[in-house]
């Protein structure tokens, strides 16, 4: 009789053990489900917040006033704005134009060599006349001009955001040159 009671007790214990394992598995999968739900909800909320604050790209101002035309000497390359705006302003007998100081080979910044009257790129040796036309080295095309105009107060306005390419015929367009 005692032996029968013992085996009954062992059976009950085994059943209770497997029941406990079953519950702990259910508990685990239940928690996993809630965690997944929480992550999906969080992602949805974040996506909503992102669309409420769209990304805006702020472009730096590309336009600046460079002074009066009379401040630019005929036959000289003015380098005053090269470090801030990457342009040279050049006045010749016909008028004035601004060249973008970026080599048309691979984008280095050329130097103005006054004694040789040319722009020379330090990277691979391209050379450009004062007009911006390329004549030596690997640069495949002239330097680009940028937009020039006159403001109401008589000052020269330069916009480095507008470029003119000689090989496209852009140097004939208004804005690429100021007759003065
Ligand atoms: S980047 Fe100017 S010559 Fe190559």
């Amino acid at each position: 009789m005692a032996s029968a009671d013992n085996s009954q007790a062992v059976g009950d214990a085994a059943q209770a053990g497997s029941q406990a394992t079953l519950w702990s598995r259910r508990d685990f999968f239940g928690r996993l489900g809630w965690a997944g739900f929480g992550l999906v909800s969080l992602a949805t909320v974040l996506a909503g917040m992102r669309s409420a604050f769209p990304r805006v790209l702020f472009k730096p101002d590309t336009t600046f006033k460079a002074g009066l035309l009379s401040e630019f000497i005929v036959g000289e390359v003015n380098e005053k704005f090269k470090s801030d705006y990457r342009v040279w302003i050049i006045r010749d007998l016909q008028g004035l134009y601004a060249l973008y100081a970026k080599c048309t080979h691979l984008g280095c910044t050329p130097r103005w060599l006054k004694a040789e009257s040319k722009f020379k790129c330090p990277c691979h040796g391209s050379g450009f006349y004062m007009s911006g036309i390329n004549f030596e080295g690997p640069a495949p095309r002239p330097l680009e001009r940028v937009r020039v105009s006159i403001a109401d107060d008589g000052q020269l306005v330069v916009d480095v955001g507008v470029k003119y390419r000689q090989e496209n015929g852009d140097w004939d367009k208004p804005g690429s040159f100021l007759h003065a």
Side-chain angles (χ1 to χ4, degrees), residues 51-109:
S51 67
F53 301 99
R55 262 194 253 165
V56 180
L57 291 176
F58 292 99
K59 274 189 169 181
D61 195 1
T62 58
T63 303
F64 66 95
K65 284 188 174 179
L68 298 170
L69 280 188
S70 56
E71 295 172 27
F72 297 92
I73 299 164
V74 174
E76 278 203 359
V77 172
N78 185 306
E79 300 207 77
K80 190 175 171 186
F81 303 98
K82 186 183 168 191
S83 59
D84 286 346
Y85 294 98
R86 211 176 182 180
V87 290
W88 295 287
I89 297 173
I90 298 125
R91 187 164 183 189
D92 62 17
L93 289 171
Q94 283 74 47
L96 180 146
Y97 55 96
L99 287 174
Y100 194 48
K102 182 177 178 180
C103 180
T104 52
H105 178 223
L106 293 176
C108 291
T109 304

Side-chain angles (χ1 to χ4, degrees), residues 28 31 97 109 150 160:
F28 172 75
R31 282 175 197 216
Y97 55 96
T109 304
I150 298 291
V160 294

